[in-house]
Amino acid sequence: KVNELEKGIEGLQSPIVKFIEPIVLDLLKRVGAENGDIVFFGADKAKVVNDAMGALRVKIGHDLKLSTCEWAPLWVVDFPMFEYDENENRYVAAHHPFTSPNLEDVDKLLSDPAHCYSRAYDLVLNGYELLSGSIRIHDQKLQEKVFEAIGMTLEEAHEKFSWFMDAFQYGTPPHGGVGIGLERLTMILAGTDNIRDVVAFPKTASASDLMAQAPSPVDPAQLKELGIETK
């Protein structure tokens, strides 16, 4: 917190000031801090910081009622094409591997995957995601290149997605789509922030459906047909 900026370090209130003393005044200057301001920042990998600061921004916005209008629609574009998986030590598709990259990023798919962006899009209303979709890849060579970028060989791609890869031989037109969250839209229109208020048959915390009395016991004959044994 900035109590008295004119006093320099002595005018700041924070337990971490002593750890960032060489840069703190420059930091305050860059953000245009004034007396009475609170400056939030994070230090970690970009995704960790972005997720944490994004959640904090939403929380503060709701608590201080900073919404400026009743309806605030927003298209979100230029999503990252890939994200790095620490467990597998490789890049994976951020949306799914059939999402088309931005055309200007095609030449960077193998050399600079961290800075490639996709033709995916979300429509957000008042902070809630209403729909999500993407333009799909319709070129076989480009699809193979994306698979290579996520560490999949051409043989693996054809083994796992042969039906998909073979379809390219017959001509695939440019195409895309969206999945609409009708329940979220209904929730906003109903003026509630709890989606369970508008779901016809909401599940309990244990995933039980009280109206349909599900899940129900499975007939042993069905388990035998599927080769499933209970223990």
Side-chain angles (χ1 to χ4, degrees):
K1 181 180 178 181
V2 182
N3 291 326
E4 297 180 74
L5 189 59
E6 56 276 8
K7 290 186 177 181
I9 298 295
E10 300 300 322
L12 307 179
Q13 179 184 343
S14 172
I16 66 169
V17 166
K18 59 184 177 182
F19 299 110
I20 59 171
E21 187 172 336
I23 65 168
V24 67
L25 294 180
D26 184 50
L27 177 65
L28 295 177
K29 182 178 180 181
R30 285 176 178 237
V31 301
E34 300 176 354
N35 289 343
D37 286 350
I38 297 178
V39 179
F40 297 97
F41 67 94
D44 205 302
K45 294 180 180 177
K47 186 178 187 310
V48 176
V49 173
N50 290 340
D51 289 347
M53 300 304 288
L56 177 62
R57 179 174 58 181
V58 172
K59 169 68 174 171
I60 293 174
H62 285 305
D63 288 352
L64 299 182
K65 303 185 185 305
L66 297 178
S67 297
T68 57
C69 57
E70 185 176 2
W71 302 108
L74 170 70
W75 279 103
V76 182
V77 296
D78 291 328
F79 283 94
M81 183 71 183
F82 308 105
E83 55 189 23
Y84 194 76
D85 189 314
E86 297 285 352
N87 295 324
E88 297 190 22
N89 294 318
R90 66 180 180 90
Y91 282 96
V92 297
H95 192 58
H96 56 63
F98 313 111
T99 301
S100 174
N102 281 344
L103 300 182
E104 57 267 29
D105 292 333
V106 170
D107 292 337
K108 300 190 298 182
L109 289 174
L110 301 180
S111 61
D112 190 15
H115 295 95
C116 292
Y117 297 91
S118 70
R119 299 176 72 183
Y121 39 79
D122 280 6
L123 177 61
V124 177
L125 178 62
N126 294 8
Y128 295 100
E129 180 186 317
L130 291 189
L131 60 81
S132 177
S134 67
I135 300 299
R136 310 296 198 267
I137 295 172
H138 61 277
D139 177 81
Q140 184 172 4
K141 294 298 182 183
L142 178 56
Q143 184 65 73
E144 291 174 353
K145 198 170 184 178
V146 169
F147 280 142
E148 185 179 355
I150 61 175
M152 187 180 296
T153 66
L154 191 58
E155 291 74 20
E156 288 177 312
H158 280 277
E159 181 180 344
K160 294 180 178 180
F161 306 107
S162 59
W163 54 272
F164 183 80
M165 302 298 285
D166 292 343
F168 282 115
Q169 301 175 29
Y170 304 100
T172 318
H175 58 292
V178 296
I180 302 175
L182 290 176
E183 290 173 337
R184 294 184 190 176
L185 177 58
T186 304
M187 178 188 73
I188 296 173
L189 293 174
T192 176
D193 59 1
N194 188 348
I195 200 169
R196 293 169 61 85
D197 292 342
V198 300
V199 176
F201 304 104
K203 304 292 190 296
T204 67
S206 60
S208 298
D209 187 328
L210 301 181
M211 299 293 290
Q213 298 182 353
S216 59
V218 182
D219 187 280
Q222 291 178 300
L223 294 176
K224 183 177 181 180
E225 180 180 351
L226 297 172
I228 297 176
E229 180 182 359
T230 59
K231 294 184 179 179

